[in-house]
Amino acid sequence: MTERHLGLFRNVPAARPGLCRVCHSAPAEPHAPACLCAGCHRATAGVHRHTPHVLPVSLCARTGDDRRLYDLVTRRRSPPGELTGAALLAATVARFHRAHLPCLTRPAGGPFTLVATVPGAGAERPVEAFDLMPRVVQWVTGLRDLHRPVLMPGGDRAAEEALARHVPDEWAFQVLGRLDGERVLLLDELFASGARVQSAASVLYRAGAEAVVALVVARLVDPWADTRVADAWARPYDFGRCCLCDPAARLSSDAGRALLG
Ligand SMILES: [Zn+2]
Ligand SMILES: [Zn+2]
């Protein structure tokens, strides 16, 4: 199914110094010692604890002819044919998860014990009566059995408005129960500024999670803002490599240590 829709996806550039060490998909801010892109710099500064491990399946753009994946994850348009967007997203997550399980589990320090999805709050996506990702997860072998709806909207209007402005705010979410020692795979369909994922990661850590690794379907970027990103964008999409296992990947010593355990 994903093969017929390969045109939707865009390669994430190989991780390397000069690109953000968290999302790997945007240039690190010049002079920033932490090697973070502008979005991750802002999203990680405002939370108790952030996840340094974000693995995007694909880049996406909001403008131009290449906005189909963005439209799909924000449910503005259904893919061609009889498919529903959720089925295509499930096939995408299943294929990527199967191909890159070691890339996901290595930074977690071991196999995942819990799969969580980020509940719909904030305005990076249209208001929907239900969340897409919990349905997507139910179709993915290997994720279904680990999925528990532990992450809930926090019910704080101001926090949700902050997220809508790409300002991280942990009060946008709450965790049901304790997560002591859990290694969490955190799934979200769209990573724009990182404020949602990092706010969610932070409340998971506060609840006792040992590790949080975020798998995001679409990383929203300006593909033309950086030549390394533009080069990756222009190549035909390859499900066989991600930004971490790409042969061209060169990790900073910190990230390399974390990855190699
Ligand atoms: Zn980043
Ligand atoms: Zn990989």
Side-chain angles (χ1 to χ4, degrees):
M1 184 191 282
T2 47
E3 205 57 41
R4 278 191 287 131
H5 295 279
L6 265 190
L8 284 173
F9 306 105
R10 295 289 178 273
N11 297 295
V12 179
R16 72 192 83 164
L19 289 173
C20 177
R21 68 173 169 81
V22 170
C23 72
H24 313 293
S25 34
E29 283 197 302
H31 317 301
C35 301
L36 299 172
C37 69
C40 289
H41 183 70
R42 201 163 153 200
T44 58
V47 295
H48 158 67
R49 185 172 167 191
H50 70 273
T51 173
H53 308 296
V54 176
L55 197 50
V57 173
S58 174
L59 303 180
C60 76
R62 189 158 38 192
T63 53
D65 298 337
D66 267 335
R67 53 173 294 164
R68 285 182 301 152
L69 183 60
Y70 178 79
D71 288 344
L72 177 68
V73 295
T74 55
R75 281 154 279 171
R76 288 200 171 84
R77 196 182 300 158
S78 294
E82 75 292 354
L83 289 174
T84 67
L88 182 52
L89 285 182
T92 303
V93 170
R95 185 170 179 185
F96 189 89
H97 176 257
R98 214 167 38 240
H100 301 286
L101 189 57
C103 307
L104 289 162
T105 53
R106 228 174 277 131
F112 292 106
T113 58
L114 173 65
V115 171
T117 51
V118 184
E124 280 179 3
R125 65 203 65 200
V127 175
E128 292 283 333
F130 51 84
D131 283 335
L132 192 60
M133 288 312 268
R135 284 193 297 148
V136 165
V137 168
Q138 292 312 308
W139 287 334
V140 182
T141 311
L143 297 184
R144 181 169 44 221
D145 295 343
L146 293 176
H147 180 238
R148 280 188 282 142
V150 293
L151 205 48
M152 304 296 284
D156 185 316
R157 194 61 186 270
E160 289 182 9
E161 286 170 8
L163 284 195
R165 298 191 313 272
H166 303 301
V167 176
D169 193 323
E170 295 170 1
W171 291 98
F173 303 111
Q174 58 179 316
V175 171
L176 302 179
R178 292 292 304 170
L179 303 178
D180 297 294
E182 303 272 16
R183 288 185 294 272
V184 185
L185 180 63
L186 179 62
L187 277 169
D188 204 6
E189 62 262 53
L190 179 67
F191 186 103
S193 62
R196 287 173 47 78
V197 158
Q198 295 299 1
S199 301
S202 191
V203 292
L204 292 168
Y205 279 123
R206 274 193 197 276
E210 181 183 306
V212 178
V213 174
L215 171 59
V216 298
V217 175
R219 165 61 163 126
L220 181 64
V221 293
D222 173 3
W224 317 118
D226 181 273
T227 53
R228 294 157 296 192
V229 177
D231 289 349
W233 181 276
R235 285 197 317 270
Y237 187 79
D238 183 356
F239 261 102
R241 57 174 70 170
C242 73
C243 57
L244 299 181
C245 65
D246 189 303
R250 284 182 292 120
L251 296 164
S252 68
S253 53
D254 276 3
R257 266 199 298 279
L259 281 172
L260 299 172

